[in-house]
Amino acid sequence: MKTYTVSIQETSNNTIIKFELNAFITNHQSFEFNNIDEAKNSPLAQQLFYLPFVKKVYISSNFVAVERFNIVEWKDVQEEVAQQIEDYLNNNGIVITETEAVKKVPVTVYAESTPNPSVLKFVANKKLVTATYEFNSIEEAKLSPLATELFHFPFVKSVFIEDNYLSVSKYDVAEWDTVTMEVREHIRNFIAQGKDIVDPQAQQILKKTTEELDKTFESYDDTSKEIINILEEYVKPAVASDGGNIMFQSYDPNDKSVKVVLQGACSGCPSSTFTLKNGIENMLKEMLKGKVETVEAING
């Protein structure tokens, strides 16, 4: 059974709050309801409209966004709404009825080159996962039906999944020119069928829930927290655009050394290990003067 948890996210519009979930609640579909009549195909949206301050409900893959009338402030009611959504889903409440859910979802996937010639990035027009996953073998991929299928291609070496894309690493037995179309279509068809990209319990099993990640973060010393925040703000967005990821591993205050793990397209890249190591090292030395001397980059 899925165990849903809800986190509250503010938006740029102060009348709208986003209730983000740790698992998908639709098959990569989005729905917008302006009143209770329009919401006849969504029991969840209908329930929310019984709250007198709810103006509009928007339901997407892994969140519910609610717009309010000005009769209340979100700070006064957002916790209760989050709890209501969480309780509803954990009691097997229906999000969208079948008549609405079976509509065909247009799915597009395009292939994008990365700095690593062995890795291609496949980008979808739908959010695929709510956490980051890397699988280096079919055994590791048991929590991801899509990654498991990709490992049946004999040339697939590893699969990295984040947000709306996959980075697929290959062995040298095949050239991307000859297999890109086949891999892209396989991914697109898989998503279009509404299958789970990863097991709904994967975040719990791999301890990647928001609560677990927060707990891990709080267990670090202050310098490690600073390093993680710098990586999140300045480094990860850049490497994500290239199909990769940088993950903090450890900080040793004695010799002022940092270890980071390179994932996705960054892992094994002929140029990225040196470039990223020195780029991150210089950045951390500059921003955390006297606290960091060396950075070791490890391939995931």
Side-chain angles (χ1 to χ4, degrees):
M1 187 181 99
K2 294 179 183 177
T3 302
Y4 292 96
T5 57
V6 176
S7 60
I8 299 169
Q9 307 291 332
E10 294 183 354
T11 71
S12 57
N13 185 334
N14 65 12
T15 66
I16 299 174
I17 283 285
K18 187 173 168 184
F19 299 94
E20 197 164 280
L21 294 142
N22 63 322
F24 289 114
I25 55 173
T26 74
N27 288 330
H28 310 290
Q29 296 166 297
S30 298
F31 305 88
E32 185 175 312
F33 307 104
N34 294 293
N35 54 59
I36 197 167
D37 290 333
E38 285 187 10
K40 63 181 182 296
N41 289 315
S42 174
L44 171 57
Q46 283 191 318
Q47 178 167 313
L48 291 171
F49 275 116
Y50 283 119
L51 300 171
F53 55 82
V54 170
K55 180 179 181 181
K56 183 181 291 187
V57 177
Y58 182 85
I59 299 176
S60 191
S61 296
N62 70 314
F63 69 85
V64 178
V66 179
E67 184 177 354
R68 63 170 172 81
F69 288 109
N70 291 326
I71 58 175
V72 297
E73 295 295 327
W74 272 122
K75 61 182 175 61
D76 298 322
V77 296
Q78 62 187 26
E79 295 292 342
E80 289 81 358
V81 176
Q83 191 62 56
Q84 181 173 330
I85 293 171
E86 191 172 295
D87 291 344
Y88 179 87
L89 294 172
N90 285 322
N91 285 319
N92 298 316
I94 296 171
V95 178
I96 302 292
T97 57
E98 188 177 349
T99 53
E100 186 75 12
V102 294
K103 287 183 177 178
K104 287 288 184 183
V105 184
V107 174
T108 61
V109 175
Y110 67 88
E112 192 176 276
S113 62
T114 75
N116 188 338
S118 295
V119 178
L120 216 56
K121 181 180 178 183
F122 296 90
V123 185
N125 64 332
K126 306 289 180 183
K127 189 176 179 72
L128 304 177
V129 291
T130 57
T132 298
Y133 301 93
E134 184 169 47
F135 308 105
N136 293 303
S137 68
I138 196 168
E139 290 82 8
E140 288 184 10
K142 62 186 178 183
L143 290 173
S144 171
L146 175 53
T148 297
E149 289 196 9
L150 291 175
F151 274 111
H152 285 112
F153 289 108
F155 52 82
V156 170
K157 182 178 181 181
S158 67
V159 179
F160 176 80
I161 311 175
E162 183 176 40
D163 196 38
N164 68 325
Y165 72 89
L166 297 89
S167 290
V168 180
S169 172
K170 69 169 182 64
Y171 291 106
D172 292 338
V173 295
E175 296 299 325
W176 278 124
D177 287 348
T178 60
V179 298
T180 297
M181 183 69 74
E182 185 180 9
V183 175
R184 184 180 68 81
E185 280 303 296
H186 192 93
I187 293 170
R188 189 190 68 78
N189 290 334
F190 188 99
I191 298 169
Q193 290 171 39
K195 298 177 182 179
D196 287 332
I197 307 299
V198 296
D199 187 289
Q201 296 301 312
Q203 280 184 273
Q204 283 80 13
I205 294 169
L206 298 175
K207 299 187 183 302
K208 288 178 176 282
T209 62
T210 302
E211 292 76 11
E212 290 285 352
L213 295 176
D214 288 345
K215 190 187 301 181
T216 300
F217 180 80
E218 291 304 323
S219 70
Y220 289 125
D221 61 84
D222 290 343
T223 302
S224 293
K225 289 178 182 177
E226 289 182 280
I227 294 168
I228 292 169
N229 288 333
I230 290 170
L231 293 177
E232 289 286 340
E233 184 173 355
Y234 297 102
V235 180
K236 285 194 174 186
V239 297
S241 66
D242 286 333
N245 186 45
I246 299 290
M247 186 173 68
F248 172 81
Q249 185 178 81
S250 65
Y251 168 68
D252 187 337
N254 296 316
D255 59 8
K256 300 178 182 178
S257 64
V258 177
K259 288 184 179 180
V260 296
V261 178
L262 308 181
Q263 297 180 308
C266 296
S267 181
C269 180
S271 61
S272 70
T273 303
F274 177 80
T275 304
L276 288 170
K277 175 190 178 299
N278 285 273
I280 296 169
E281 192 170 87
N282 292 335
M283 181 184 293
L284 293 178
K285 280 183 177 180
E286 179 65 29
M287 299 180 78
L288 299 173
K289 290 186 184 298
K291 295 180 180 179
V292 174
E293 291 297 330
T294 62
V295 173
E296 181 182 354
I298 304 164
N299 287 320

